[in-house]
Coordinates of all heavy atoms in Angstrom, one line a residue:
M1 N 184.5 146.7 141.1 CA 185.5 147.3 140.2 C 185.0 148.3 139.3 O 183.8 148.1 138.8 CB 186.2 146.1 139.5 CG 187.4 146.4 138.7 SD 188.5 145.2 138.1 CE 187.5 143.7 138.1
S2 N 185.7 149.3 139.0 CA 185.2 150.4 138.2 C 185.2 149.9 136.8 O 185.8 149.1 136.3 CB 186.1 151.6 138.2 OG 187.3 151.5 137.4
D3 N 184.1 150.4 136.0 CA 184.0 150.1 134.5 C 185.4 150.3 133.8 O 185.7 149.7 132.9 CB 182.9 150.9 133.9 CG 181.5 150.3 134.4 OD1 181.4 149.2 134.7 OD2 180.6 151.2 134.4
T4 N 185.9 151.5 134.2 CA 187.3 151.9 133.5 C 188.3 150.7 133.7 O 188.9 150.3 132.7 CB 187.7 153.3 134.1 OG1 186.8 154.1 133.9 CG2 189.0 153.6 133.4
L5 N 188.5 150.4 134.9 CA 189.5 149.4 135.1 C 189.2 147.9 134.5 O 190.0 147.3 133.9 CB 189.8 149.2 136.7 CG 191.0 148.3 137.1 CD1 192.2 148.6 136.6 CD2 191.0 148.2 138.6
S6 N 187.9 147.5 134.7 CA 187.6 146.3 134.2 C 187.5 146.3 132.6 O 187.6 145.1 132.1 CB 186.2 145.9 134.7 OG 185.2 146.7 134.3
S7 N 187.5 147.3 132.0 CA 187.5 147.3 130.5 C 188.8 147.5 129.9 O 188.9 147.4 128.7 CB 186.4 148.4 130.1 OG 186.9 149.7 130.3
Q8 N 189.8 147.7 130.6 CA 191.0 148.0 130.1 C 191.8 146.6 129.7 O 191.4 145.7 130.3 CB 192.0 148.7 131.2 CG 191.6 150.0 131.4 CD 192.5 150.8 132.5 OE1 193.5 150.3 132.9 NE2 192.1 152.0 132.8
K9 N 192.7 146.7 128.9 CA 193.4 145.6 128.4 C 194.9 145.6 129.0 O 195.3 146.7 129.3 CB 193.6 145.5 126.8 CG 192.3 145.3 126.2 CD 191.8 143.9 126.4 CE 190.5 143.6 125.5 NZ 190.1 142.3 125.8
C10 N 195.5 144.4 129.2 CA 196.8 144.4 129.6 C 197.8 145.0 128.7 O 197.6 144.8 127.5 CB 197.1 142.9 130.0 SG 198.7 142.7 130.8
E11 N 198.7 145.7 129.1 CA 199.7 146.4 128.3 C 201.0 145.9 128.6 O 201.4 145.9 129.9 CB 199.5 147.9 128.5 CG 200.3 148.7 127.6 CD 200.2 150.2 127.8 OE1 199.0 150.7 127.7 OE2 201.2 150.8 128.1
A12 N 201.9 145.4 127.6 CA 203.1 144.8 128.0 C 204.1 145.9 128.7 O 204.1 147.1 128.1 CB 203.7 144.3 126.7
C13 N 204.8 145.5 129.6 CA 205.6 146.5 130.3 C 207.1 146.2 129.7 O 207.4 145.2 129.3 CB 205.7 146.1 131.8 SG 204.2 146.4 132.7
H14 N 207.8 147.3 129.8 CA 209.2 147.2 129.4 C 210.0 147.2 130.7 O 209.7 147.7 131.7 CB 209.6 148.4 128.5 CG 208.7 148.4 127.2 ND1 208.9 147.6 126.1 CD2 207.7 149.1 126.9 CE1 208.2 147.8 125.2 NE2 207.3 148.8 125.6
V15 N 211.3 146.7 130.5 CA 212.1 146.5 131.7 C 212.3 147.9 132.4 O 212.4 148.0 133.6 CB 213.5 146.0 131.2 CG1 214.5 146.0 132.4 CG2 213.3 144.6 130.8
D16 N 212.3 149.0 131.6 CA 212.5 150.3 132.2 C 211.2 151.0 132.6 O 211.3 152.2 133.0 CB 213.4 151.2 131.3 CG 212.7 151.4 129.9 OD1 211.7 150.6 129.6 OD2 213.2 152.2 129.2
A17 N 210.0 150.3 132.5 CA 208.8 151.0 132.9 C 208.7 151.3 134.4 O 209.3 150.6 135.2 CB 207.7 150.0 132.5
P18 N 208.1 152.4 134.7 CA 208.0 152.7 136.3 C 207.1 151.7 136.9 O 206.1 151.3 136.5 CB 207.5 154.1 136.2 CG 206.6 154.2 134.9 CD 207.4 153.3 133.9
K19 N 207.5 151.4 138.2 CA 206.7 150.6 139.0 C 205.7 151.4 139.7 O 205.8 152.7 139.8 CB 207.6 149.9 140.1 CG 208.6 148.9 139.5 CD 209.5 148.3 140.6 CE 210.4 147.3 140.0 NZ 211.3 146.7 141.0
V20 N 204.6 150.8 140.2 CA 203.6 151.5 140.8 C 204.1 151.9 142.2 O 204.8 151.1 143.0 CB 202.3 150.5 141.1 CG1 201.4 151.1 142.0 CG2 201.7 150.1 139.8
S21 N 203.9 153.2 142.6 CA 204.5 153.7 143.8 C 203.4 153.3 145.0 O 202.4 152.8 144.7 CB 204.5 155.2 143.7 OG 203.2 155.8 143.7
D22 N 203.9 153.4 146.1 CA 203.1 153.1 147.3 C 201.8 153.9 147.3 O 200.7 153.4 147.7 CB 203.9 153.3 148.6 CG 205.0 152.3 148.9 OD1 204.9 151.3 148.1 OD2 205.9 152.6 149.7
E23 N 201.9 155.2 146.9 CA 200.8 156.1 146.9 C 199.8 155.6 145.9 O 198.6 155.6 146.0 CB 201.2 157.5 146.5 CG 202.0 158.2 147.7 CD 203.5 157.8 147.6 OE1 204.0 157.3 146.6 OE2 204.1 157.9 148.8
E24 N 200.2 155.2 144.6 CA 199.4 154.8 143.6 C 198.7 153.4 144.0 O 197.5 153.2 143.7 CB 200.2 154.6 142.3 CG 200.7 155.7 141.6 CD 201.7 155.6 140.5 OE1 202.6 154.7 140.6 OE2 201.6 156.2 139.4
L25 N 199.5 152.6 144.6 CA 199.0 151.4 145.1 C 197.9 151.5 146.1 O 196.8 150.8 145.9 CB 200.1 150.4 145.7 CG 199.6 149.1 146.3 CD1 199.0 148.2 145.2 CD2 200.8 148.4 146.9
A26 N 198.0 152.5 147.0 CA 196.9 152.7 148.0 C 195.6 153.2 147.3 O 194.6 152.8 147.7 CB 197.4 153.9 148.9
V27 N 195.7 153.9 146.2 CA 194.5 154.4 145.4 C 194.0 153.1 144.7 O 192.8 152.9 144.7 CB 194.9 155.6 144.5 CG1 193.7 155.9 143.6 CG2 195.3 156.7 145.4
L28 N 194.8 152.5 143.9 CA 194.3 151.5 143.0 C 193.9 150.3 143.7 O 192.8 149.6 143.2 CB 195.5 151.1 142.0 CG 195.9 152.1 141.0 CD1 197.2 151.7 140.3 CD2 194.8 152.4 140.0
I29 N 194.4 149.9 144.8 CA 194.0 148.6 145.5 C 192.5 148.7 146.0 O 191.8 147.7 146.1 CB 194.9 148.2 146.6 CG1 194.8 146.8 147.1 CG2 194.6 149.2 147.9 CD1 195.4 145.9 146.1
K30 N 191.9 150.0 146.1 CA 190.6 150.2 146.5 C 189.7 149.7 145.4 O 188.5 149.4 145.6 CB 190.3 151.7 146.8 CG 191.0 152.1 148.1 CD 190.8 153.5 148.3 CE 191.6 153.9 149.5 NZ 191.6 155.4 149.7
E31 N 190.1 149.7 144.2 CA 189.3 149.3 143.1 C 189.4 147.7 142.9 O 188.5 147.2 142.2 CB 189.8 149.8 141.7 CG 189.7 151.3 141.7 CD 189.8 151.9 140.4 OE1 189.3 151.3 139.4 OE2 190.5 152.9 140.3
I32 N 190.2 147.0 143.6 CA 190.3 145.5 143.6 C 190.4 145.0 145.1 O 191.5 144.3 145.4 CB 191.5 145.0 142.7 CG1 192.8 145.7 143.1 CG2 191.1 145.3 141.2 CD1 194.0 145.0 142.4
P33 N 189.4 145.2 145.8 CA 189.6 145.0 147.2 C 189.8 143.5 147.6 O 190.3 143.2 148.7 CB 188.2 145.5 147.9 CG 187.3 145.5 146.7 CD 188.1 145.8 145.5
D34 N 189.4 142.6 146.8 CA 189.6 141.2 147.1 C 191.0 140.7 146.8 O 191.4 139.6 147.1 CB 188.6 140.3 146.3 CG 187.2 140.6 146.7 OD1 186.9 140.9 147.9 OD2 186.3 140.6 145.9
W35 N 191.8 141.5 146.2 CA 193.2 141.2 145.9 C 194.1 141.7 147.1 O 194.0 142.8 147.5 CB 193.6 141.7 144.5 CG 192.9 141.1 143.4 CD1 191.6 141.4 143.0 CD2 193.4 140.0 142.7 NE1 191.3 140.6 141.9 CE2 192.4 139.7 141.7 CE3 194.6 139.4 142.6 CZ2 192.5 138.8 140.8 CZ3 194.7 138.3 141.6 CH2 193.7 138.0 140.8
V36 N 195.2 141.0 147.3 CA 196.1 141.3 148.4 C 197.5 141.5 147.8 O 197.9 140.7 147.1 CB 196.2 140.2 149.4 CG1 197.1 140.5 150.5 CG2 194.7 140.0 150.0
P37 N 198.1 142.7 148.1 CA 199.5 142.8 147.7 C 200.5 142.0 148.5 O 200.4 141.9 149.8 CB 199.8 144.3 147.9 CG 198.5 144.9 148.3 CD 197.6 143.9 148.7
E38 N 201.3 141.2 147.9 CA 202.3 140.3 148.6 C 203.6 140.6 147.9 O 203.8 140.9 146.8 CB 202.0 138.9 148.2 CG 200.7 138.4 148.7 CD 200.7 138.0 150.2 OE1 201.7 137.9 150.8 OE2 199.5 137.9 150.8
V39 N 204.6 140.6 148.8 CA 206.0 140.9 148.3 C 206.8 139.5 148.6 O 206.9 138.9 149.7 CB 206.7 142.0 149.1 CG1 208.1 142.1 148.6 CG2 205.9 143.2 148.8
R40 N 207.2 138.9 147.4 CA 208.0 137.7 147.5 C 209.4 137.9 146.7 O 209.4 138.3 145.6 CB 207.3 136.6 146.8 CG 206.1 136.2 147.6 CD 205.4 134.9 147.1 NE 204.2 134.7 147.9 CZ 203.0 134.8 147.4 NH1 202.8 135.1 146.1 NH2 201.9 134.5 148.1
D41 N 210.5 137.6 147.3 CA 211.7 137.8 146.7 C 211.9 139.2 146.3 O 212.5 139.4 145.2 CB 212.0 136.8 145.6 CG 212.0 135.4 146.0 OD1 212.4 135.1 147.2 OD2 211.5 134.5 145.3
G42 N 211.4 140.1 146.9 CA 211.5 141.6 146.6 C 210.7 142.0 145.5 O 210.8 143.2 144.9
I43 N 209.6 141.3 145.0 CA 208.8 141.6 144.0 C 207.3 141.7 144.5 O 206.9 140.7 145.1 CB 208.9 140.4 142.8 CG1 210.3 140.3 142.3 CG2 207.9 140.8 141.8 CD1 210.4 139.1 141.4
M44 N 206.7 142.8 144.2 CA 205.4 143.1 144.5 C 204.5 142.4 143.6 O 204.7 142.5 142.4 CB 205.0 144.5 144.7 CG 203.8 144.8 145.5 SD 202.2 144.7 144.9 CE 202.1 145.9 143.6
M45 N 203.5 141.5 144.2 CA 202.5 140.7 143.4 C 201.2 141.1 144.0 O 201.0 141.5 145.1 CB 202.9 139.3 143.5 CG 204.3 138.9 143.2 SD 204.6 137.2 143.5 CE 206.3 137.0 142.8
L46 N 200.2 140.7 143.2 CA 198.8 140.7 143.5 C 198.3 139.3 143.6 O 198.5 138.5 142.7 CB 197.9 141.5 142.7 CG 198.2 143.1 142.6 CD1 197.4 143.7 141.5 CD2 197.9 143.7 143.9
E47 N 197.6 138.9 144.6 CA 197.1 137.7 144.9 C 195.7 137.6 145.4 O 195.3 138.4 146.1 CB 198.1 136.9 145.9 CG 197.8 135.4 145.9 CD 198.9 134.7 146.6 OE1 199.9 134.3 146.1 OE2 198.8 134.6 148.0
R48 N 194.9 136.5 144.9 CA 193.6 136.4 145.3 C 193.3 134.9 145.4 O 193.7 134.1 144.5 CB 192.6 137.0 144.3 CG 191.2 136.9 144.7 CD 190.3 137.8 143.9 NE 188.8 137.5 144.3 CZ 187.9 138.0 143.8 NH1 188.1 139.0 142.8 NH2 186.7 137.7 144.1
V49 N 192.6 134.5 146.4 CA 192.2 133.1 146.5 C 190.7 133.1 146.2 O 189.9 133.7 146.8 CB 192.4 132.6 147.9 CG1 191.8 131.1 148.1 CG2 193.9 132.6 148.2
Y50 N 190.3 132.1 145.3 CA 188.9 131.9 145.0 C 188.5 130.5 145.5 O 189.3 129.6 145.4 CB 188.8 131.9 143.4 CG 189.0 133.2 142.7 CD1 190.3 133.6 142.5 CD2 188.0 134.1 142.4 CE1 190.6 134.7 141.8 CE2 188.3 135.3 141.8 CZ 189.6 135.6 141.5 OH 189.9 136.8 140.8
K51 N 187.4 130.4 146.1 CA 186.9 129.2 146.7 C 185.7 128.6 145.9 O 184.9 129.4 145.4 CB 186.6 129.3 148.2 CG 187.8 129.8 149.0 CD 187.7 129.6 150.4 CE 189.0 130.0 151.0 NZ 189.1 129.7 152.3
F52 N 185.7 127.3 145.9 CA 184.6 126.6 145.1 C 184.1 125.4 145.9 O 184.8 124.9 146.8 CB 185.2 126.1 143.7 CG 185.7 127.3 142.9 CD1 187.0 127.7 143.0 CD2 184.9 127.9 142.0 CE1 187.4 128.8 142.2 CE2 185.3 128.9 141.3 CZ 186.6 129.4 141.3
K53 N 183.1 124.8 145.5 CA 182.5 123.7 146.1 C 183.1 122.4 145.9 O 183.1 121.5 146.8 CB 181.0 123.5 145.7 CG 180.0 124.6 146.2 CD 178.7 124.4 145.7 CE 177.7 125.5 146.2 NZ 176.4 125.3 145.8
N54 N 184.0 122.2 144.8 CA 184.7 121.1 144.6 C 185.8 121.3 143.6 O 186.0 122.4 143.1 CB 183.7 120.0 143.9 CG 183.0 120.5 142.7 OD1 183.6 121.0 141.8 ND2 181.7 120.3 142.7
Y55 N 186.6 120.2 143.2 CA 187.7 120.3 142.4 C 187.3 120.7 141.0 O 188.1 121.5 140.3 CB 188.5 119.0 142.5 CG 189.8 119.1 141.8 CD1 191.0 119.6 142.4 CD2 189.9 118.6 140.5 CE1 192.1 119.7 141.7 CE2 191.2 118.6 139.8 CZ 192.2 119.1 140.4 OH 193.4 119.2 139.8
K56 N 186.3 120.0 140.5 CA 185.9 120.3 139.1 C 185.5 121.8 138.8 O 185.9 122.3 137.7 CB 184.7 119.4 138.7 CG 184.4 119.3 137.3 CD 183.4 118.2 136.9 CE 183.2 118.0 135.5 NZ 182.4 116.9 135.1
L57 N 184.9 122.4 139.7 CA 184.5 123.8 139.5 C 185.8 124.7 139.6 O 186.0 125.6 138.8 CB 183.5 124.3 140.6 CG 182.1 123.8 140.4 CD1 181.2 124.1 141.6 CD2 181.4 124.2 139.1
A58 N 186.7 124.3 140.5 CA 188.0 125.1 140.6 C 188.7 124.9 139.3 O 189.4 125.8 138.9 CB 188.7 124.6 141.8
W59 N 188.8 123.7 138.8 CA 189.5 123.3 137.6 C 189.0 124.2 136.4 O 189.7 124.7 135.7 CB 189.4 121.9 137.4 CG 190.1 121.3 136.2 CD1 191.1 121.8 135.3 CD2 189.9 120.0 135.7 NE1 191.5 121.0 134.4 CE2 190.7 119.8 134.6 CE3 189.1 118.9 136.0 CZ2 190.8 118.6 133.8 CZ3 189.1 117.8 135.2 CH2 189.9 117.7 134.2
A60 N 187.7 124.2 136.3 CA 187.1 125.0 135.2 C 187.4 126.4 135.3 O 187.7 127.1 134.2 CB 185.5 124.7 135.2
F61 N 187.5 127.0 136.5 CA 187.9 128.4 136.7 C 189.3 128.6 136.4 O 189.6 129.5 135.7 CB 187.5 128.7 138.2 CG 187.9 130.2 138.5 CD1 187.2 131.3 138.0 CD2 189.1 130.5 139.1 CE1 187.6 132.6 138.4 CE2 189.6 131.7 139.4 CZ 188.8 132.8 139.0
A62 N 190.1 127.7 136.8 CA 191.6 127.8 136.5 C 191.8 127.8 135.0 O 192.6 128.6 134.4 CB 192.4 126.7 137.2
N63 N 191.0 127.0 134.3 CA 191.1 126.9 132.8 C 190.7 128.3 132.2 O 191.3 128.7 131.3 CB 190.3 125.7 132.3 CG 191.1 124.5 132.4 OD1 192.3 124.3 132.6 ND2 190.3 123.4 132.4
K64 N 189.7 128.9 132.7 CA 189.1 130.1 132.1 C 190.0 131.3 132.3 O 190.3 131.9 131.4 CB 187.7 130.4 132.8 CG 187.1 131.7 132.3 CD 186.7 131.5 130.8 CE 186.1 132.8 130.2 NZ 185.9 132.7 128.7
V65 N 190.7 131.2 133.5 CA 191.7 132.3 133.9 C 192.9 132.0 132.8 O 193.4 133.0 132.3 CB 192.2 132.2 135.3 CG1 193.4 133.1 135.5 CG2 191.2 132.6 136.3
S66 N 193.2 130.9 132.5 CA 194.3 130.5 131.7 C 194.1 131.1 130.3 O 194.9 131.6 129.6 CB 194.6 129.0 131.6 OG 195.1 128.5 132.9
E67 N 192.8 130.8 129.8 CA 192.4 131.2 128.4 C 192.5 132.8 128.4 O 192.9 133.3 127.4 CB 191.1 130.8 128.2 CG 190.9 129.2 128.0 CD 189.5 128.7 127.9 OE1 188.6 129.6 127.8 OE2 189.3 127.5 128.0
L68 N 191.9 133.4 129.4 CA 191.9 135.0 129.4 C 193.4 135.4 129.5 O 193.6 136.5 128.8 CB 191.1 135.5 130.6 CG 189.6 135.2 130.5 CD1 188.9 135.6 131.8 CD2 189.0 136.0 129.3
A69 N 194.2 134.8 130.2 CA 195.6 135.3 130.4 C 196.3 135.1 129.0 O 197.1 136.1 128.7 CB 196.3 134.5 131.5
E70 N 196.1 134.1 128.4 CA 196.7 133.9 127.0 C 196.2 135.0 126.0 O 197.0 135.4 125.2 CB 196.4 132.5 126.6 CG 197.1 132.2 125.3 CD 198.5 132.1 125.3 OE1 199.2 132.1 126.3 OE2 199.2 132.2 124.1
E71 N 195.0 135.3 126.1 CA 194.4 136.4 125.2 C 195.2 137.6 125.5 O 195.5 138.4 124.6 CB 192.9 136.6 125.5 CG 192.1 135.5 124.9 CD 190.6 135.6 125.2 OE1 190.2 136.7 125.7 OE2 189.8 134.6 125.1
E72 N 195.4 137.9 126.8 CA 196.1 139.2 127.2 C 197.7 139.0 127.1 O 198.4 140.1 127.1 CB 195.7 139.6 128.5 CG 194.3 140.0 128.7 CD 193.9 141.3 128.0 OE1 194.7 142.2 127.9 OE2 192.7 141.3 127.5
F73 N 198.1 137.9 126.8 CA 199.5 137.5 126.9 C 200.3 138.1 128.1 O 201.3 138.7 128.1 CB 200.3 138.0 125.5 CG 201.5 137.3 125.4 CD1 201.6 136.0 124.9 CD2 202.8 137.9 125.5 CE1 202.7 135.3 124.7 CE2 204.0 137.2 125.3 CZ 203.9 135.9 124.9
H74 N 199.5 137.9 129.3 CA 200.1 138.2 130.6 C 199.7 137.0 131.5 O 198.5 136.9 131.8 CB 199.4 139.5 131.1 CG 200.2 140.0 132.3 ND1 201.4 140.3 132.3 CD2 199.6 140.2 133.6 CE1 201.8 140.8 133.6 NE2 200.7 140.6 134.3
H75 N 200.6 136.3 131.8 CA 200.3 134.9 132.5 C 200.6 134.9 134.0 O 201.8 135.1 134.4 CB 201.2 133.8 131.8 CG 200.9 133.9 130.3 ND1 201.8 134.5 129.5 CD2 200.0 133.3 129.6 CE1 201.3 134.4 128.3 NE2 200.2 133.8 128.2
P76 N 199.6 134.7 134.8 CA 199.8 134.5 136.2 C 200.2 133.2 136.7 O 200.2 132.3 136.0 CB 198.4 134.9 136.8 CG 197.6 134.1 135.7 CD 198.2 134.4 134.4
A77 N 200.6 133.2 138.0 CA 200.7 131.8 138.6 C 199.4 131.3 139.1 O 198.7 132.2 139.6 CB 201.7 131.9 139.8
I78 N 199.0 130.1 138.7 CA 197.7 129.6 139.1 C 197.9 128.3 139.8 O 198.5 127.4 139.4 CB 196.9 129.4 137.8 CG1 196.7 130.6 137.0 CG2 195.5 128.7 138.3 CD1 196.1 130.5 135.7
L79 N 197.6 128.4 141.1 CA 197.6 127.1 142.0 C 196.2 126.5 142.1 O 195.3 127.2 142.6 CB 198.2 127.5 143.3 CG 198.2 126.4 144.3 CD1 199.1 125.3 143.9 CD2 198.7 127.0 145.7
L80 N 196.1 125.5 141.6 CA 194.7 124.6 141.6 C 194.8 123.6 142.7 O 195.7 122.8 142.7 CB 194.5 124.0 140.3 CG 193.4 123.0 140.2 CD1 192.0 123.7 140.4 CD2 193.3 122.4 138.8
E81 N 193.8 123.7 143.7 CA 193.8 122.8 144.7 C 192.3 122.4 144.8 O 191.4 122.9 144.1 CB 194.1 123.4 146.0 CG 195.6 123.8 146.0 CD 195.9 124.7 147.2 OE1 196.1 124.0 148.3 OE2 195.8 125.9 147.4
W82 N 191.9 121.3 145.6 CA 190.6 120.9 145.8 C 189.8 122.1 146.3 O 190.0 122.6 147.5 CB 190.5 119.7 146.7 CG 189.1 119.2 146.6 CD1 188.7 118.1 145.8 CD2 187.9 119.6 147.3 NE1 187.3 117.8 146.1 CE2 186.9 118.8 146.9 CE3 187.6 120.7 148.2 CZ2 185.5 119.0 147.4 CZ3 186.4 120.7 148.7 CH2 185.2 120.0 148.2
G83 N 188.8 122.6 145.6 CA 187.8 123.7 146.0 C 188.6 125.1 146.1 O 188.0 125.9 146.7
K84 N 189.8 125.2 145.6 CA 190.4 126.5 145.7 C 191.3 126.7 144.5 O 192.0 125.9 144.1 CB 191.2 126.5 147.0 CG 191.9 127.7 147.4 CD 192.4 127.7 148.8 CE 193.7 127.1 149.0 NZ 194.2 127.4 150.3
V85 N 191.4 128.0 144.1 CA 192.4 128.4 143.1 C 193.0 129.7 143.6 O 192.3 130.7 144.0 CB 191.7 128.7 141.7 CG1 192.7 129.3 140.6 CG2 191.0 127.5 141.2
T86 N 194.3 129.8 143.6 CA 195.0 130.9 144.0 C 195.7 131.6 142.7 O 196.4 130.8 142.1 CB 196.1 130.7 145.0 OG1 195.6 130.0 146.2 CG2 196.9 131.9 145.5
V87 N 195.4 132.8 142.4 CA 196.0 133.5 141.2 C 196.9 134.5 141.8 O 196.5 135.4 142.6 CB 194.8 134.1 140.4 CG1 195.4 134.8 139.2 CG2 193.7 133.0 140.0
T88 N 198.1 134.5 141.2 CA 199.0 135.6 141.6 C 199.6 136.2 140.3 O 200.1 135.5 139.4 CB 200.2 135.0 142.4 OG1 199.8 134.1 143.4 CG2 201.2 135.9 142.9
W89 N 199.4 137.5 140.3 CA 199.9 138.4 139.1 C 201.0 139.2 139.5 O 201.2 139.8 140.6 CB 198.8 139.3 138.7 CG 197.6 138.7 138.1 CD1 196.4 138.4 138.9 CD2 197.3 138.2 136.8 NE1 195.5 137.9 138.0 CE2 196.0 137.8 136.7 CE3 198.1 138.2 135.6 CZ2 195.5 137.2 135.6 CZ3 197.6 137.7 134.5 CH2 196.2 137.2 134.4
W90 N 202.0 139.4 138.6 CA 203.0 140.5 138.7 C 203.6 140.7 137.3 O 203.4 139.9 136.4 CB 204.1 140.1 139.7 CG 205.0 138.8 139.2 CD1 206.2 139.0 138.7 CD2 204.6 137.4 139.2 NE1 206.6 137.7 138.4 CE2 205.7 136.7 138.7 CE3 203.5 136.8 139.8 CZ2 205.8 135.4 138.6 CZ3 203.5 135.4 139.6 CH2 204.7 134.8 139.2
S91 N 204.3 141.8 137.2 CA 205.1 142.0 135.9 C 206.4 141.3 135.9 O 207.2 141.6 136.7 CB 205.3 143.6 135.8 OG 206.1 143.7 134.6
H92 N 206.5 140.3 135.0 CA 207.6 139.6 134.9 C 208.8 140.4 134.5 O 210.0 140.2 134.8 CB 207.4 138.4 134.0 CG 206.4 137.4 134.4 ND1 206.7 136.4 135.3 CD2 205.0 137.4 134.1 CE1 205.5 135.8 135.4 NE2 204.6 136.3 134.8
S93 N 208.5 141.4 133.6 CA 209.7 142.2 133.0 C 210.2 143.3 133.9 O 211.5 143.4 134.0 CB 209.2 142.8 131.6 OG 208.1 143.7 131.8
I94 N 209.4 143.9 134.7 CA 209.8 144.9 135.5 C 210.0 144.4 137.0 O 210.4 145.2 138.0 CB 209.1 146.2 135.5 CG1 207.7 146.1 135.9 CG2 209.2 146.9 134.2 CD1 206.8 147.4 136.0
K95 N 209.4 143.3 137.3 CA 209.4 142.7 138.6 C 208.6 143.5 139.6 O 208.9 143.7 140.7 CB 210.9 142.3 139.0 CG 211.5 141.5 138.0 CD 212.8 140.9 138.7 CE 213.5 140.0 137.8 NZ 212.9 139.3 136.7

């Protein structure tokens, strides 16, 4: 991931904010190759699955993601399973 993208902070979206175009997505997704665009109920989301050796490591990771998300005030869906955490991000306000 580029230094520019990784150093940026989450910025709250407004309902009328523009969505990422297909052309912009094609460029930006190259900076986050482990994330997969998914469309659910007409909403484009970014999803990534992280794998761990056991539940306890997955749990610690899920907690860390939760803490970081709260700091940014942008909260993903986090699915915690044995040895696996799935993180799904999207803009709740602009869908």
Side-chain angles (χ1 to χ4, degrees):
M1 186 167 20
S2 75
D3 289 333
T4 304
L5 184 58
S6 65
S7 65
Q8 291 181 6
K9 293 291 185 181
C10 185
E11 188 176 303
C13 294
H14 299 281
V15 174
D16 59 348
K19 294 181 181 180
V20 173
S21 70
D22 291 341
E23 293 79 19
E24 291 170 317
L25 178 61
V27 171
L28 293 170
I29 202 71
K30 292 176 184 173
E31 294 193 47
I32 52 170
D34 296 324
W35 290 82
V36 178
E38 298 281 347
V39 178
R40 294 191 185 107
D41 298 324
I43 300 170
M44 201 282 287
M45 304 175 177
L46 292 174
E47 188 167 272
R48 182 171 174 182
V49 176
Y50 295 86
K51 298 198 177 192
F52 300 90
K53 291 182 181 181
N54 57 47
Y55 187 81
K56 192 169 186 178
L57 291 172
W59 181 14
F61 177 79
N63 283 340
K64 184 63 176 174
V65 170
S66 297
E67 290 169 10
L68 292 170
E70 182 62 17
E71 287 175 16
E72 294 292 328
F73 202 69
H74 189 65
H75 306 96
I78 302 171
L79 174 61
L80 170 61
E81 302 175 78
W82 192 96
K84 183 167 82 168
V85 176
T86 303
V87 180
T88 308
W89 293 97
W90 69 100
S91 170
H92 299 273
S93 59
I94 63 173
K95 304 198 180 331

